[in-house]
Amino acid sequence: MFVITPNQEQPGVLSSILNVFSALSINLSWIESHPTTRKLGVYRFFLESNQSANDSSINKAVIILETLGHEVRIIGRYNAYECNLTKPNDIL
């Protein structure tokens, strides 16, 4: 899970952030915005990805976003888990 605080508020800033993930073929499963305490109308974005925590494309996205001047914090990582169930009752 990422928290991204844009370097400046401008029209299309969320789109430019999402384009980084799209260009690296990173699927996002959740996006939410919250106002910052800086100024009225300034937001930070919470994003969650389906990618593995160790995926190199995640690290590339963070580097690119930081290079663009955005503050990026990773507040949680989930390791990929493969489920090899043989029948539906194995879940129980």
Side-chain angles (χ1 to χ4, degrees), residues 62-73:
V62 170
I63 291 168
I64 292 168
L65 290 168
E66 288 176 340
T67 301
L68 294 172
H70 303 303
E71 178 187 328
V72 180
R73 291 186 324 179

Side-chain angles (χ1 to χ4, degrees), residues 44-89:
R44 69 176 37 111
F45 304 102
F46 292 77
L47 299 100
E48 190 171 293
S49 170
N50 293 337
Q51 303 287 118
S52 170
N54 299 321
D55 194 319
S56 64
S57 59
I58 294 291
N59 295 327
K60 287 179 187 176
V62 170
I63 291 168
I64 292 168
L65 290 168
E66 288 176 340
T67 301
L68 294 172
H70 303 303
E71 178 187 328
V72 180
R73 291 186 324 179
I74 297 176
I75 59 174
R77 287 186 175 219
Y78 303 100
N79 291 324
Y81 175 76
E82 290 187 29
C83 186
N84 295 319
L85 300 177
T86 56
K87 53 190 175 211
N89 291 336

Side-chain angles (χ1 to χ4, degrees), residues 1-4 18 21 26-32 45-51 58 75-78:
M1 178 179 282
F2 305 91
V3 178
I4 301 173
L18 295 178
F21 291 98
I26 298 172
N27 187 37
L28 298 174
S29 58
W30 180 69
I31 303 170
E32 191 170 311
F45 304 102
F46 292 77
L47 299 100
E48 190 171 293
S49 170
N50 293 337
Q51 303 287 118
I58 294 291
I75 59 174
R77 287 186 175 219
Y78 303 100

Side-chain angles (χ1 to χ4, degrees), residues 8-37:
Q8 59 182 329
E9 186 59 32
Q10 61 189 24
V13 71
L14 176 59
S15 176
S16 68
I17 291 169
L18 295 178
N19 284 338
V20 171
F21 291 98
S22 177
L24 294 170
S25 299
I26 298 172
N27 187 37
L28 298 174
S29 58
W30 180 69
I31 303 170
E32 191 170 311
S33 63
H34 287 270
T36 65
T37 56

